Amino acid sequence: MKELDTNLKYDLEAMNLNPNSRDYKKILVRLASHGDFDTHTTKFKTNNQKKIDGEYVFVPKNLVFRVTRALARGIVGLFGPLVTKVAFNLKVVGRENLKGIKSAITVSNHVHYLDALMNMQALRGKKFYIVGAPHNMKRGIAGYLMKAGGMLPLSTSLSASKNLNATISEILSQGGFIHMYAESALWFRYEKSRPLKIGAFKMACENNVPIVPIVILFRNKNKLEFFRKKKTITLKICKPIFPDVNLTKREQAVKMMNECQRVYNDTICDFYGYDKETYSIFPSEEELKMYELTAADDEKEEI
C-alpha cells in the first residue's frame, strides 16, 4: 500500500458528506488504503463542550446524582431495547459469554451513532460505564444526563486522565463493566475490522480483568423487512480474553490485543463471508476498483 502522506487532509466536515452515500464509503476505502484508520469521518460539534480537567468529577457520590443515575439507567433500560428493535431489528447473541464474569472491560467496533445504546443493551443487568470522546460531554442538562447514563469522557489533561484511570479501577473493583472503543474513531456502517489500540488492554491488565470483545455486524434484510432502507444489525458478544499472569503487564496487553484482533477478524470473516486466508484490514484490489480508486489516486486529485 502507498505510504500515507502526512500532509493529506480529509476534511469530511467541510465536505458535508452523507455517511450513507457512496462518496462517504469511498473516503473510508481511501483512508483504509493509507492505513489511516483512526481519522474521524463523521461530523461532531465541540461547541458547548464541558471542560474535562483535574477538577472534573467522573462519578459524583452525592444523593442527587445517584437518583438521577438510577432514573436515567431505568429509562434507557426500558426504552433502549424498543428503539434498537424498531430502528435496527437488533439481535444480541453470545450473552452466555458474560456468565460468571464479575467485572470486565468490553471493546467493540465503532460503526454507528447509536452503538453505545446497542452496547448498553448487550450489558443489561450489569453496572456499566462507557468511555467516550470529550465532545460528547456537553454543558448543562444534556451533559449531566450523559454523565448519569454512564459516560466517562476522555481528556488531554494529564490530571484528568489520572482521575479517569482511578475511577475506572474503582468501578472494576466494585464489580462494574467498562466499555471502550478500541478502534477509536467512528466509521459509519463499516463492514471490516480496523487495528485496535492498546489502551483498553493495558487497563485490563492493570486491573487484572478480562477483555470481552463485542462485534457489531450488519446483516441483509429478510423478505419481511422490505420497508427498511438499511441493513439490520447483529451484535455478537464473544468469549472473554484473560490476562496471562506469567507475562509482564506490557506483554499481557499485547497478547490480549492480538487475540482480540484475531477474534474481530475471524468474526467479521465468518459473518460477511470473507476468505480468512486472504483477509486484510487494507482494501483489496477488487474494493479499490469498486470505488474507482488506485494506489496512485491521491497523486491525481486532492480531497
Side-chain angles (χ1 to χ4, degrees):
M1 289 295 167
K2 180 176 179 287
E3 184 177 350
L4 176 64
D5 178 1
T6 55
N7 294 319
L8 192 62
K9 302 298 181 182
Y10 296 87
D11 192 348
L12 299 178
E13 184 169 1
M15 294 175 71
N16 197 29
L17 290 175
N18 179 348
N20 291 304
S21 69
R22 177 181 171 82
D23 286 340
Y24 174 82
K25 292 180 175 62
K26 182 176 180 179
I27 289 292
L28 296 188
V29 173
R30 187 192 296 266
L31 288 169
S33 71
H34 283 289
D36 196 7
F37 290 101
D38 53 1
T39 292
H40 290 282
T41 66
T42 52
K43 292 191 294 183
F44 58 86
K45 296 180 180 179
T46 57
N47 62 309
N48 199 35
Q49 178 177 316
K50 190 173 182 64
K51 186 177 181 180
I52 313 298
D53 57 16
E55 302 300 316
Y56 183 84
V57 180
F58 289 90
V59 183
K61 301 185 184 300
N62 61 73
L63 180 60
V64 173
F65 182 80
R66 290 181 178 181
V67 172
T68 306
R69 180 174 60 192
L71 289 173
R73 294 191 175 211
I75 292 171
V76 170
L78 181 63
F79 292 104
L82 178 62
V83 171
T84 56
K85 184 66 177 178
V86 172
F88 313 115
N89 193 16
L90 178 68
K91 293 181 180 179
V92 178
V93 297
R95 277 207 178 96
E96 65 275 8
N97 290 318
L98 293 174
K99 290 182 179 180
I101 305 297
K102 295 181 179 179
S103 63
I105 292 178
T106 60
V107 294
S108 76
N109 47 340
H110 197 7
V111 290
H112 202 282
Y113 294 113
L114 295 180
D115 54 21
L117 187 61
M118 300 173 201
N119 285 308
M120 287 178 185
Q121 187 172 333
L123 296 173
R124 67 185 182 188
K126 306 292 185 182
K127 178 184 175 183
F128 62 83
Y129 292 82
I130 296 180
V131 177
H135 62 255
N136 292 307
M137 191 60 67
K138 305 297 184 183
R139 296 187 182 92
I141 187 63
Y144 189 77
L145 291 175
M146 288 284 288
K147 189 173 187 176
M151 171 64 73
L152 301 175
L154 294 165
S155 176
T156 55
S157 163
L158 180 59
S159 55
S161 296
K162 288 182 178 179
N163 290 341
L164 174 59
N165 291 342
T167 300
I168 289 174
S169 294
E170 181 179 2
I171 291 169
L172 292 171
S173 69
Q174 295 174 352
F177 281 65
I178 300 291
H179 185 77
M180 303 180 77
Y181 292 103
E183 288 180 340
S184 187
L186 167 61
W187 282 23
F188 190 74
R189 290 187 172 271
Y190 192 60
E191 295 186 0
K192 295 187 73 174
S193 53
R194 287 181 282 156
L196 303 176
K197 308 292 186 182
I198 202 168
F201 305 94
K202 284 183 176 179
M203 187 65 65
C205 295
E206 289 168 2
N207 292 279
N208 195 29
V209 297
I211 286 281
V212 179
I214 295 175
V215 189
I216 299 171
L217 305 154
F218 300 95
R219 65 181 187 273
N220 293 323
K221 300 175 291 183
N222 60 43
K223 293 181 180 180
L224 298 179
E225 296 176 312
F226 61 89
F227 57 91
R228 296 184 185 276
K229 295 182 179 180
K230 307 291 187 304
K231 291 182 178 182
T232 49
I233 296 176
T234 295
L235 184 150
K236 183 173 182 179
I237 304 170
C238 302
K239 293 181 180 180
I241 302 169
F242 293 87
D244 186 342
V245 295
N246 296 314
L247 302 175
T248 66
K249 294 296 185 184
R250 171 70 184 180
E251 290 171 338
Q252 289 179 43
V254 171
K255 183 178 179 180
M256 292 178 79
M257 181 180 68
N258 291 339
E259 175 61 15
C260 190
Q261 187 75 60
R262 184 193 65 76
V263 170
Y264 267 51
N265 293 350
D266 287 352
T267 302
I268 283 173
C269 285
D270 289 340
F271 189 86
Y272 294 116
Y274 300 133
D275 184 348
K276 290 183 182 180
E277 296 298 321
T278 60
Y279 178 77
S280 172
I281 58 174
F282 295 102
S284 64
E285 291 299 324
E286 183 179 348
E287 288 174 292
L288 291 172
K289 289 179 181 178
M290 184 185 303
Y291 290 97
E292 300 174 343
L293 293 170
T294 67
D297 218 32
D298 293 316
E299 297 175 1
K300 299 176 182 179
E301 57 179 293
E302 293 185 357
I303 296 179

